[in-house]
Amino acid sequence: MKDYHISKINVEGNKVVSYEAGGIFKITQEFIDDFPSGNGDITSLLKINPNVQFSNSYQSSKTPGEIDPANISINGAAFYQNLFNLDGISMNNDLDPASNNPNSITDIPGRSQGISIDSSLIEKIEVYDSNVSASYGGFEGGVINVTTKNPSKNFSAKLSYQTTSSAQTKYHLYESDNEVLLNSSDSSNEPYFFKQFIRANLSGYLGKHFGIIGSFSSVNSTIPLKEYIPSYKKQIQKNQYRNIYNYFLKTTYDGIENLNLSFSLTYAPQNNQYFIKNAKNSEFSILSGGLQGSLKATYNFKSLTFVNNLSYSELKNSKKSQENYFKGWKYSEEKDWGTPGKGSNEGAWGNIKTIQRTIEYKSDLKFEEFEIFKTYHLISTGLVLDFGSSYYQRLEDTFSGSSLSAIKEGGICAEKQYCSNSPVQGEKSSIWKNNAGQYFKWLNVYKAGKINLDNFGYGFYLQDDLRIWRLSFRPGLRISGDTYMKKITLAPRVALAFDVFGNKNTNIIVGINRYYGRNLLAYRLYDGRTALQSTYKRTNEKTTWDKAIISQQKNNTQFNRLKIPYNDEFVVGITQRFWQFEGNLKYIHRNGKDEITKVSSKIASLPKDPDYTTLYYTYTNDGKSVSDIITLSFSTIKPIEFFNIKQSFLFGADYSNIKKNYNDYASSLNSNAFNDVDVIFDGKIIKYNSLPPNDFNKPYSLTFTTISQIKISTFDLTWTNFFAYKSGYKSIAINGVQTSSKGEELDNYQTFDFPNTFNWDARIGLKKNLWGKNMVFIYLDIFNVFDNLNIISAKTETIKKKNTALIPTYQTGRSFYIQVGYEF
């Protein structure tokens, strides 16, 4: 048995590696192969971790055709404040991870996990959720370390095909949503879809010391929708598409004594193709993902290991549109592709490119253990230097007509692009009576332009894994800074473990740590974006745009030099091993401070600025959060064998109490949140910022994972089950005002409670050995086996201006994924 260290526990042969109180959760390649993972993304595998919460929109029955990896929160932190590492190099996309609206004319949907990696490429995943080593920085939640596969010593190959569709999926919908779904014209409701997954890889050594592995995988989803809503005369079916491709190459060389070299290259572009409903020539694509390459050299000296990693990454969020204009016409004989009284739209959102390029150098020195006065030390230190260049660029002028007006009888258009003399039909308003056509009074121009940001960042850490008697003590310090925020941060990390009986079976863990968050590029790239916009205004159809009055927009988002957000953590836990089992109990308290939020000048009572519009927005450090999390896990250390069966399992439970006064950096604080006023909540007066959050807020959950392996002759049968019981979802909505006992009129917030949910996912795998290494296999994944009606989220609707009602969204019902393949 290996010595116990605070940083990690490695256990050989375990299908489900146990969750240890020190804060590391390790998922092996064997587990990845046996677990039902749906779209095959990283985050879908993390639902077995009790410290990870998913967004309420995860697995929505309205959008089963989507393939984006889910957003996750670790220990109450914002979903964009996790660090995603691929082979030790960050793959975070910091361009605008909170943006989620593809139909914005200025913003582009983003996500924190910059590259969507297929699970078939992964050797292991390590999740650091507490007591995180000082070697990691740039996060407030946790660290997700993804290690790709290495070349196999003997030549091997694997090819597989997987599919699922709406025909293999049960939909659960609220009664009023049925017709909306079937006649849907946008991606918020997807009545049909077809997904297919193709995976192939080759691996082996060319000679004695040079190994190579190459891999390709693709995830493709086709989503048929209606181009026009039912009330339009044209009912044309049109497909939207979602495509992710993974191209992967990795080489290793160990022909020089004590030196190991590896080179890896990952190219993972994603293309989500949309169209604007009720509009012709409206197709556009959201392009994301990117390229990441690294060269790693590890040299083993006599008393230390020296690791160097040089990497380059290029990540993007871009928009490519069919047209660079949008016009919302009324129906007429000339504009006849719509419906009378409903309009005839045309055009799209123009072309925007946002790019994040980073060159990074990382080095780590890990000394061998040495003794000083009967104390044993494992010192490690490291340095990271990176240079990033990012920009937001509108590639060409984009135009949008607004303030549509009627042309009076006898009026003649001075130009034909934003004016039509074809009489409008089907409009009941008196404005359009006896009209001679229509014209746009305003022309909004989004000018071609570029906003740049260059940034040099640095980090240094030093820590010591110290052992004396039964006590392990790990003090560490991380120093970080960059030229973007112009702040230097000091993040102390202190962890302690006590081996109670000296047999490494019972260990008590304590830790006090500080984690500084990511400096998102979005803050700077928002700044100045509105200044690219101008509006041309005219009073009649006889005026050409060159004679219109120009109103130049000014920047409405000020970027100030902000403090770096951080989380202070206290953690205490106990790990107990006995026979072939391990149990862990842990308590985590997190205080999030200086969180970055957006607030209007009016709410913050800021002075008017002559260089800005009357109302402008600024970023502040007024966000805060408090999180208390208790987790319990119990698992097998190695499979239990009886007869011809190997059995592994993992049980996880968590309780979370999370309070925060903000949603994300892109959502503006309202006056209640900014001033933290008194409100009435469930009949009691509390502070506004004590209201529970509306997402990532399920108070408790229970999960149980089992993996059974049975060998019968030349057949290998695997049966995996994942059971999840989650507490009811609470939705908070304002429901008028109420007079308090002190005579104050306070906003009254109402809780809408939803029932607890239960879900069972399963994978049944069968492998058949043909001869030698040749093998065929088939996997059947079944999600929501019992087809339970689980509510995952809801939206509020006001009825008759008084009562507030909730319209629920359900989890996808029973669905099947089928995979077949061949390996040799």
Side-chain angles (χ1 to χ4, degrees):
M1 182 179 291
K2 295 185 177 181
D3 289 342
Y4 175 82
H5 296 294
I6 295 172
S7 58
K8 61 182 178 180
I9 294 177
N10 291 323
V11 183
E12 298 298 327
N14 189 17
K15 275 282 182 180
V16 182
V17 176
S18 61
Y19 180 78
E20 59 115 346
I24 300 178
F25 189 94
K26 181 179 177 182
I27 298 175
T28 64
Q29 178 185 336
E30 292 78 15
F31 176 82
I32 294 171
D33 290 341
D34 292 338
F35 192 73
S37 58
N39 292 331
D41 56 278
I42 296 170
T43 51
S44 292
L45 298 164
L46 303 185
K47 56 190 177 184
I48 61 173
N49 187 327
N51 289 86
V52 174
Q53 285 222 30
F54 285 73
S55 170
N56 294 331
S57 60
Y58 179 58
Q59 294 184 325
S60 168
S61 196
K62 293 183 178 181
T63 55
E66 298 300 322
I67 59 176
D68 282 339
N71 290 325
I72 59 170
S73 170
I74 297 180
N75 291 329
F79 67 86
Y80 47 82
Q81 284 292 2
N82 299 311
L83 173 62
F84 288 91
N85 279 340
L86 181 64
D87 288 333
I89 303 300
S90 170
M91 60 173 178
N92 281 74
N93 186 334
D94 295 325
L95 289 166
D96 197 0
S99 179
N100 59 13
N101 179 17
N103 283 298
S104 169
I105 199 167
T106 56
D107 302 339
I108 305 173
R111 62 165 184 262
S112 184
Q113 183 187 325
I115 295 179
S116 183
I117 296 296
D118 190 83
S119 58
S120 63
L121 303 179
I122 300 171
E123 181 177 284
K124 66 179 178 180
I125 302 173
E126 294 172 315
V127 182
Y128 298 77
D129 59 65
S130 58
N131 266 353
V132 183
S133 162
S135 60
Y136 297 102
F139 69 94
E140 290 185 84
V143 179
I144 298 95
N145 259 352
V146 179
T147 303
T148 56
K149 292 179 179 179
N150 285 315
S152 56
K153 287 294 183 180
N154 300 312
F155 175 79
S156 64
K158 188 174 183 179
L159 177 67
S160 72
Y161 175 81
Q162 185 178 20
T163 183
T164 187
S165 70
S166 50
Q168 299 162 245
T169 303
K170 291 287 291 292
Y171 284 74
H172 290 161
L173 299 167
Y174 192 66
E175 185 177 355
S176 62
D177 287 335
N178 277 294
E179 187 174 348
V180 174
L181 181 81
L182 291 175
N183 296 288
S184 174
S185 299
D186 64 69
S187 57
S188 61
N189 289 283
E190 299 169 353
Y192 308 103
F193 71 93
F194 176 75
K195 292 181 186 178
Q196 54 183 346
F197 308 76
I198 299 173
R199 302 176 175 101
N201 69 69
L202 293 171
S203 180
Y205 265 68
L206 304 177
K208 185 177 180 181
H209 300 290
F210 183 77
I212 184 170
I213 179 171
S215 177
F216 167 79
S217 66
S218 68
V219 184
N220 307 101
S221 181
T222 302
I223 305 168
L225 297 168
K226 301 290 178 61
E227 187 173 7
Y228 297 93
I229 61 177
S231 59
Y232 277 58
K233 68 177 184 180
K234 294 184 178 180
Q235 278 298 292
I236 303 171
Q237 181 169 294
K238 194 170 186 178
N239 293 335
Q240 292 192 1
Y241 300 95
R242 313 287 186 263
N243 303 294
I244 299 176
Y245 299 95
N246 280 189
Y247 304 89
F248 175 71
L249 176 68
K250 188 175 186 178
T251 62
T252 60
Y253 180 73
D254 57 4
I256 301 174
E257 187 177 3
N258 296 322
L259 178 65
N260 289 289
L261 298 172
S262 68
F263 169 77
S264 66
L265 181 66
T266 304
Y267 179 51
Q270 179 170 346
N271 184 353
N272 288 0
Q273 300 176 43
Y274 301 86
F275 61 83
I276 303 170
K277 67 179 180 180
N278 307 330
K280 73 173 186 178
N281 302 329
S282 66
E283 295 179 8
F284 67 96
S285 294
I286 303 298
L287 307 173
S288 57
L291 173 73
Q292 184 162 304
S294 67
L295 178 62
K296 184 178 181 180
T298 303
Y299 194 87
N300 297 303
F301 292 93
K302 184 176 181 180
S303 59
L304 64 88
T305 300
F306 188 29
V307 182
N308 291 275
N309 206 329
L310 180 65
S311 67
Y312 171 79
S313 70
E314 181 174 304
L315 305 176
K316 64 181 177 182
N317 282 353
S318 297
K319 181 176 290 183
K320 186 176 182 181
S321 300
Q322 186 175 356
E323 300 290 353
N324 66 330
Y325 62 83
F326 185 81
K327 307 171 187 177
W329 297 103
K330 298 290 186 182
Y331 181 89
S332 69
E333 185 176 343
E334 184 180 77
K335 314 297 180 184
D336 65 346
W337 56 89
T339 295
K342 296 292 182 181
S344 296
N345 301 329
E346 64 173 314
W349 310 126
N351 298 319
I352 303 173
K353 182 184 289 186
T354 59
I355 300 290
Q356 170 187 319
R357 296 188 177 100
T358 307
I359 299 174
E360 181 178 272
Y361 168 71
K362 292 179 69 174
S363 69
D364 293 275
L365 281 171
K366 299 180 181 180
F367 294 84
E368 285 193 0
E369 187 175 71
F370 59 92
E371 180 183 0
I372 301 178
F373 302 116
K374 297 187 177 180
T375 63
Y376 299 88
H377 301 261
L378 281 169
I379 292 178
S380 57
T381 184
L383 173 72
V384 58
L385 302 172
D386 64 74
F387 175 77
S389 178
S390 307
Y391 64 84
Y392 170 100
Q393 182 180 18
R394 185 172 287 279
L395 300 178
E396 58 188 350
D397 289 354
T398 300
F399 308 91
S400 173
S402 61
S403 189
L404 190 65
S405 300
I407 299 176
K408 294 181 179 181
E409 200 170 350
I412 302 297
C413 290
E415 52 82 28
K416 297 294 185 181
Q417 292 298 314
Y418 293 85
C419 185
S420 170
N421 277 123
S422 180
V424 170
Q425 302 175 20
E427 296 294 332
K428 297 179 180 180
S429 173
S430 60
I431 298 173
W432 299 97
K433 187 177 181 180
N434 298 323
N435 72 85
Q438 55 187 316
Y439 74 102
F440 292 97
K441 282 186 176 181
W442 292 8
L443 180 64
N444 302 304
V445 181
Y446 301 84
K447 296 179 181 178
K450 193 174 185 179
I451 301 169
N452 294 287
L453 172 64
D454 292 336
N455 180 46
F456 174 71
Y458 53 90
F460 172 79
Y461 79 92
L462 176 65
Q463 70 179 24
D464 182 14
D465 279 308
L466 184 154
R467 291 190 300 117
I468 178 171
W469 188 51
R470 300 177 184 174
L471 185 68
S472 295
F473 178 54
R474 191 194 67 198
L477 178 67
R478 184 175 186 86
I479 302 173
S480 301
D482 61 26
T483 57
Y484 171 31
M485 290 292 192
K486 297 183 179 179
K487 300 287 191 303
I488 297 176
T489 61
L490 301 177
R493 313 276 175 87
V494 178
L496 183 145
F498 180 63
D499 183 357
V500 178
F501 301 109
N503 57 7
K504 302 179 177 62
N505 288 331
T506 306
N507 292 278
I508 296 174
I509 305 290
V510 179
I512 299 175
N513 306 282
R514 172 168 289 188
Y515 310 123
Y516 279 95
R518 306 192 62 74
N519 297 331
L520 301 181
L521 305 174
Y523 314 144
R524 176 65 184 90
L525 296 181
Y526 274 162
D527 195 32
R529 190 177 300 182
T530 311
L532 297 175
Q533 183 180 342
S534 60
T535 302
Y536 290 70
K537 299 180 181 180
R538 61 185 180 182
T539 57
N540 57 65
E541 72 281 357
K542 300 174 184 178
T543 305
T544 56
W545 292 119
D546 59 335
K547 296 180 181 179
I549 298 173
I550 302 175
S551 174
Q552 176 65 50
Q553 293 286 338
K554 294 182 179 180
N555 184 10
N556 70 349
T557 303
Q558 288 184 332
F559 170 71
N560 296 327
R561 295 297 172 187
L562 298 162
K563 299 177 183 177
I564 311 299
Y566 65 93
N567 258 261
D568 282 333
E569 174 188 82
F570 170 74
V571 57
V572 59
I574 184 170
T575 300
Q576 179 64 55
R577 289 188 174 191
F578 57 95
W579 192 40
Q580 298 184 86
F581 301 97
E582 180 179 85
N584 301 279
L585 178 64
K586 181 169 63 174
Y587 166 72
I588 298 173
H589 176 78
R590 291 269 188 97
N591 269 339
K593 300 177 182 179
D594 291 339
E595 302 295 344
I596 294 177
T597 59
K598 191 177 180 181
V599 64
S600 72
S601 56
K602 181 179 179 181
I603 294 296
S605 299
L606 297 174
K608 293 183 179 180
D609 191 323
D611 293 328
Y612 293 81
T613 56
T614 303
L615 179 67
Y616 62 90
Y617 293 86
T618 188
Y619 291 103
T620 72
N621 290 103
D622 290 310
K624 56 186 176 182
S625 64
V626 178
S627 305
D628 293 285
I629 300 101
I630 299 173
T631 58
L632 172 67
S633 69
F634 186 75
S635 67
T636 50
I637 297 175
K638 61 180 181 179
I640 299 172
E641 298 187 39
F642 56 95
F643 298 108
N644 218 23
I645 301 173
K646 292 182 179 180
Q647 182 68 53
S648 303
F649 70 82
L650 170 65
F651 169 80
D654 73 280
Y655 169 78
S656 301
N657 183 17
I658 299 169
K659 297 177 181 179
K660 60 197 309 185
N661 71 333
Y662 72 103
N663 292 320
D664 54 56
Y665 64 84
S667 302
S668 299
L669 289 181
N670 59 32
S671 58
N672 285 352
F674 185 79
N675 297 307
D676 199 14
V677 300
D678 287 339
V679 297
I680 295 176
F681 174 61
D682 282 350
K684 299 178 181 178
I685 298 176
I686 65 170
K687 291 293 185 182
Y688 178 89
N689 294 335
S690 295
L691 289 170
N694 263 344
D695 204 356
F696 303 102
N697 69 335
K698 292 181 172 64
Y700 65 86
S701 68
L702 305 171
T703 62
F704 186 55
T705 306
T706 68
I707 301 178
S708 305
Q709 299 168 273
I710 307 171
K711 187 170 182 62
I712 305 172
S713 182
T714 58
F715 292 90
D716 291 317
L717 176 65
T718 302
W719 181 23
T720 303
N721 296 286
F722 173 73
F723 304 94
Y725 181 83
K726 295 185 180 296
S727 61
Y729 166 70
K730 286 181 177 288
S731 180
I732 308 300
I734 190 168
N735 194 12
V737 297
Q738 185 174 326
T739 303
S740 70
S741 57
K742 298 179 181 179
E744 300 174 297
E745 286 196 345
L746 304 177
D747 286 339
N748 180 37
Y749 284 82
Q750 183 177 350
T751 302
F752 294 89
D753 293 317
F754 294 96
N756 301 336
T757 64
F758 176 75
N759 192 63
W760 172 20
D761 299 335
R763 163 169 280 199
I764 300 172
L766 183 64
K767 292 183 178 181
K768 162 66 176 174
N769 183 266
L770 301 177
W771 69 90
K773 297 188 298 178
N774 292 266
M775 186 175 295
V776 293
F777 60 88
I778 182 169
Y779 292 115
L780 174 63
D781 291 350
I782 311 173
F783 294 89
N784 196 355
V785 174
F786 285 154
D787 195 29
N788 286 343
L789 193 67
N790 294 326
I791 297 176
I792 60 171
S793 65
K795 63 180 181 180
T796 59
E797 286 191 357
T798 302
I799 303 174
K800 296 180 180 180
K801 299 181 180 180
K802 291 183 178 181
N803 298 320
T804 303
L806 279 174
I807 306 301
T809 296
Y810 298 97
Q811 177 191 348
T812 305
R814 185 187 301 115
S815 61
F816 298 89
Y817 286 65
I818 300 173
Q819 182 180 10
V820 294
Y822 181 78
E823 59 181 309
F824 59 92

